[in-house]
Amino acid sequence: MLTESFIASILDTEKAKNGAANKDIGIHIHEYQPLSAIKTTFKNSVTKPNCLAINISHIFAAQAEKAVIHVYNRERGNQETIVPFPEKVTSLALIGRYDGPGILALGTAGGRVLLWEQLCTGRFVSTPQSHLQATTCLAVDPSFNFLLTGSPDASVHVWCITTLLSFSTPSTHEPSRPSPYSPLRTLTNHRAAITALITGHSSTSANVAITASADNTCLVWDYRLGILLHTFILPNTPLCLALDPADRGFYAGYDDGSVQLINFYKYPSLSHQIYDPDLRSTPTQPTPEDRWSVPADVASAVLSLETSYDGTAILSGHENGKIHTWDIAKGRYATQLADISSSVTNLQMLPPHGFSVPFAPRLKMSNVVKPRYESSLTGSNISSMERCLSETYTVTAQFASAIPRPLVSNDPMISFDHALANSSLPSDLLDEGLAQLAMLASSTKGPSDSLGRDEDTNTEEPGIATLKAQLRHARVTSMAHAEHAAALSDELLRIQAAERRKRRIKKLGRIKRMNMEEERRKRAMVAVGREQEGAMEVDKKEAEEAELSSSTEELTGSD
């Protein structure tokens, strides 16, 4: 059965401490469908909007007004570690697949962007100050190639993730070439602070980004080219955004608790409203009927929005701690889903659980490695972080299943085909290649190799070196064949044992069926005997009745 869940985090814990049940709880994992209920909670977390990131194994929560991130392990259900940083973290986003290790992107109060390979390596990369104020919004496109950052300075930067993570050091001999730690472009059409930032679900070049601002506008961008596609003028300041799963429109949350629908397909036309060049300079204002309100007694500012997996409902987190649902088809408020008693600053839907997994990952990377700072980063010299790379870059991973053993075969075609499809090269091909290289190196030695050397230090003859290399190759190959033969023998014994077990189970099944048939036959014979006895009694009674009737008739005739 499919289940759908979401994660909610709160900002203030003073209200939560008033209730004993929710004391010190900062993160809730709540089941949405089929039955609404709290599944797991994590304590000691206070997060502002856009300060929560999630993958399949961990939850990362940037603490409000602090330079630390709390890391929670979802498998063990507890807090794993606390990671400090040189400055306050004001936003988080995960770069990579939900079920992969990923890279954590961090926005700081100083206007920087930090990249942290939190699993496997601990590598840490930082940019110089790019925003004039704190980096409060982050968004990663589905192709994981671009990172968008927003700030109260009214600007949005577009970064190339592959360039930021490159191991190459910027050249100092080309001053005209832009630094790889600078944004590709800057989007500056807003006139007030950026309040929200989202990207579409497409991995193609037609994907869009939507920015919301305190100037009561939402702008739709082609962020790859830096082109403004359309402008939407809203009646209030949008505090948060959520995109339709099919990119048919988006939703904006207001400070009065209402939700606004902005439909890209509301007005039919031959060309798409967003991509029509003639409409780029013409702003659009959504209609009043597309603004949905909550009951007045529960109205509070919308701090977070999220759409359900199938796109039929919206979840909204409010300043008064309420989580409400909205019916998209009917275009109205539906019901209250939960009450956390604290400002719900972050809502994130989890992928539905219950789908069949096509393949299981072979590697498991679940150990959080703290950022590896260089010695120059200690103290106040944060400017050197822009080129930070650990001297020992190592990857730590765990195999999730048994390692497939390379195939050893006498047929060269089978070995070659297996080498192309296998995860590693077969050992016999590696040994043969090394032996051939040794033979080639020994056979190419000539008189020139001994120039400049002492005549007494003679090398071996090429023929002897070749024979030794062949002998080593033969020994290694025989050992590989012996290991393969042992593996085949073990496999044969396992298959034979399985066959014997199957035959024994079949034999026991046949005996059981025969016993059941014999029991049924005995019961049937007993039933037939009882029927015959009953029939005989019926015949006897009928004969007695006939005899009695005949005697009665004789007496009547004699009278």
Side-chain angles (χ1 to χ4, degrees):
M1 182 176 63
L2 291 178
T3 59
E4 192 173 4
S5 304
F6 64 89
I7 292 184
S9 66
I10 64 173
L11 175 59
D12 50 342
T13 57
E14 295 299 326
K15 296 180 181 179
K17 289 181 179 179
N18 295 331
N22 296 332
K23 187 176 181 181
D24 296 334
I25 295 177
I27 298 175
H28 300 73
I29 299 182
H30 202 288
E31 185 173 308
Y32 173 55
Q33 291 180 355
L35 181 63
S36 176
I38 294 179
K39 297 172 60 178
T40 311
T41 57
F42 298 93
K43 294 184 177 182
N44 303 324
S45 179
V46 180
T47 57
K48 287 187 175 182
N50 306 319
C51 289
L52 191 70
I54 306 162
N55 65 7
I56 195 172
S57 60
H58 290 85
I59 299 174
F60 304 91
Q63 300 305 295
E65 304 301 332
K66 294 182 180 180
V68 297
I69 290 180
H70 289 186
V71 181
Y72 299 90
N73 192 302
R74 295 179 58 184
E75 297 178 355
R76 295 194 292 264
N78 60 0
Q79 182 174 341
E80 182 172 326
T81 185
I82 298 177
V83 183
F85 287 88
E87 50 185 324
K88 295 178 182 179
V89 180
T90 54
S91 55
L92 289 180
L94 188 68
I95 304 172
R97 291 169 51 91
Y98 170 78
D99 56 352
I103 298 171
L104 198 63
L106 301 83
T108 68
R112 298 176 184 273
V113 177
L114 313 179
L115 299 182
W116 170 36
E117 295 182 1
Q118 77 284 0
L119 299 179
C120 313
T121 67
R123 183 190 174 194
F124 186 81
V125 177
S126 173
T127 67
Q129 181 180 3
S130 55
H131 288 286
L132 299 178
Q133 293 177 267
T135 305
T136 56
C137 302
L138 293 175
V140 182
D141 80 326
S143 66
F144 309 127
N145 289 323
F146 297 95
L147 173 67
L148 282 72
T149 60
S151 171
D153 63 3
S155 64
V156 175
H157 292 325
V158 182
W159 306 79
C160 179
I161 297 176
T162 55
T163 304
L164 291 176
L165 295 176
S166 175
F167 286 101
S168 60
T169 304
S171 176
T172 58
H173 303 289
E174 301 180 16
S176 60
R177 185 178 179 182
S179 170
Y181 300 106
S182 60
L184 292 177
R185 58 188 56 86
T186 302
L187 314 177
T188 58
N189 289 58
H190 284 294
R191 295 295 178 265
I194 304 298
T195 57
L197 174 62
I198 55 175
T199 60
H201 299 90
S202 174
S203 299
T204 66
S205 59
N207 196 29
V208 298
I210 304 172
T211 58
S213 173
D215 60 6
N216 295 358
T217 62
C218 281
L219 306 183
V220 184
W221 300 88
D222 182 350
Y223 58 90
R224 297 171 185 259
L225 301 177
I227 299 175
L228 176 61
L229 299 179
H230 202 77
T231 302
F232 291 94
I233 301 178
L234 305 182
N236 289 84
T237 300
L239 302 181
C240 51
L241 298 177
L243 191 64
D244 178 77
D247 294 354
R248 299 169 296 185
F250 64 95
Y251 308 90
Y254 296 139
D255 56 359
D256 62 351
S258 61
V259 174
Q260 178 79 59
L261 165 65
I262 297 91
N263 189 354
F264 293 158
Y265 296 89
K266 186 174 182 63
Y267 304 103
S269 61
L270 296 178
S271 59
H272 197 287
Q273 178 185 4
I274 301 300
Y275 298 100
D276 190 351
D278 298 332
L279 299 178
R280 289 178 182 174
S281 59
T282 305
T284 302
Q285 188 170 5
T287 57
E289 58 266 19
D290 288 336
R291 184 174 181 177
W292 312 328
S293 300
V294 297
D297 56 339
V298 294
S300 179
V302 183
L303 301 181
S304 53
L305 278 178
E306 191 65 88
T307 56
S308 63
Y309 177 76
D310 54 4
T312 60
I314 305 174
L315 277 67
S316 60
H318 295 255
E319 190 176 16
N320 59 3
K322 303 290 193 301
I323 299 178
H324 298 298
T325 59
W326 308 74
D327 192 323
I328 295 178
K330 297 180 180 180
R332 65 185 184 185
Y333 168 79
T335 183
Q336 177 178 312
L337 187 63
D339 186 359
I340 304 181
S341 302
S342 296
S343 300
V344 184
T345 53
N346 293 276
L347 280 178
Q348 290 194 29
M349 296 296 298
L350 300 178
H353 179 72
F355 286 115
S356 59
V357 181
F359 61 91
R362 294 187 176 183
L363 292 179
K364 182 179 180 181
M365 305 175 185
S366 57
N367 296 326
V368 174
V369 182
K370 292 187 178 182
R372 296 179 176 175
Y373 304 109
E374 295 292 337
S375 58
S376 58
L377 297 181
T378 57
S380 60
N381 188 15
I382 304 178
S383 61
S384 61
M385 290 167 55
E386 60 180 275
R387 297 183 184 180
C388 174
L389 177 61
S390 177
E391 297 177 356
T392 57
Y393 185 78
T394 58
V395 178
T396 304
Q398 178 183 359
F399 286 99
S401 59
I403 304 175
R405 298 187 60 177
L407 176 66
V408 179
S409 174
N410 293 327
D411 190 347
M413 292 304 298
I414 296 178
S415 297
F416 181 74
D417 293 339
H418 187 78
L420 291 178
N422 196 29
S423 57
S424 61
L425 291 175
S427 57
D428 60 341
L429 288 183
L430 291 175
D431 297 334
E432 184 179 356
L434 292 174
Q436 290 180 355
L437 288 175
M439 293 168 57
L440 180 63
S442 61
S443 61
T444 54
K445 289 182 180 180
S448 59
D449 296 334
S450 59
L451 291 178
R453 299 181 183 178
D454 192 20
E455 294 181 357
D456 296 335
T457 58
N458 255 344
T459 59
E460 294 179 340
E461 293 293 333
I464 298 176
T466 302
L467 291 176
K468 287 186 176 180
Q470 291 177 352
L471 180 59
R472 287 195 301 269
H473 173 63
R475 289 175 178 173
V476 173
T477 305
S478 62
M479 292 175 61
H481 281 286
E483 291 179 359
H484 181 60
L488 291 179
S489 178
D490 295 341
E491 183 70 15
L492 179 60
L493 292 175
R494 187 187 63 80
I495 294 174
Q496 289 176 348
E499 289 295 329
R500 287 196 298 270
R501 187 164 52 253
K502 288 181 181 179
R503 288 197 297 269
R504 185 166 59 254
I505 293 174
K506 288 182 179 179
K507 184 177 179 180
L508 293 175
R510 285 198 304 270
I511 294 174
K512 185 177 181 180
R513 288 194 296 271
M514 290 172 62
N515 293 335
M516 293 175 63
E517 289 292 336
E518 183 66 21
E519 188 67 24
R520 283 198 295 269
R521 187 180 64 81
K522 290 180 179 180
R523 287 199 296 266
M525 291 178 64
V526 171
V528 170
R530 289 177 180 174
E531 290 179 358
Q532 291 178 353
E533 291 178 359
M536 291 174 63
E537 290 181 0
V538 170
D539 294 341
K540 184 178 180 180
K541 288 182 180 180
E542 289 179 353
E544 291 177 353
E545 291 177 358
E547 184 179 355
L548 180 60
S549 63
S550 62
S551 61
T552 304
E553 289 178 358
E554 289 177 357
L555 291 174
T556 305
S558 63
D559 291 340

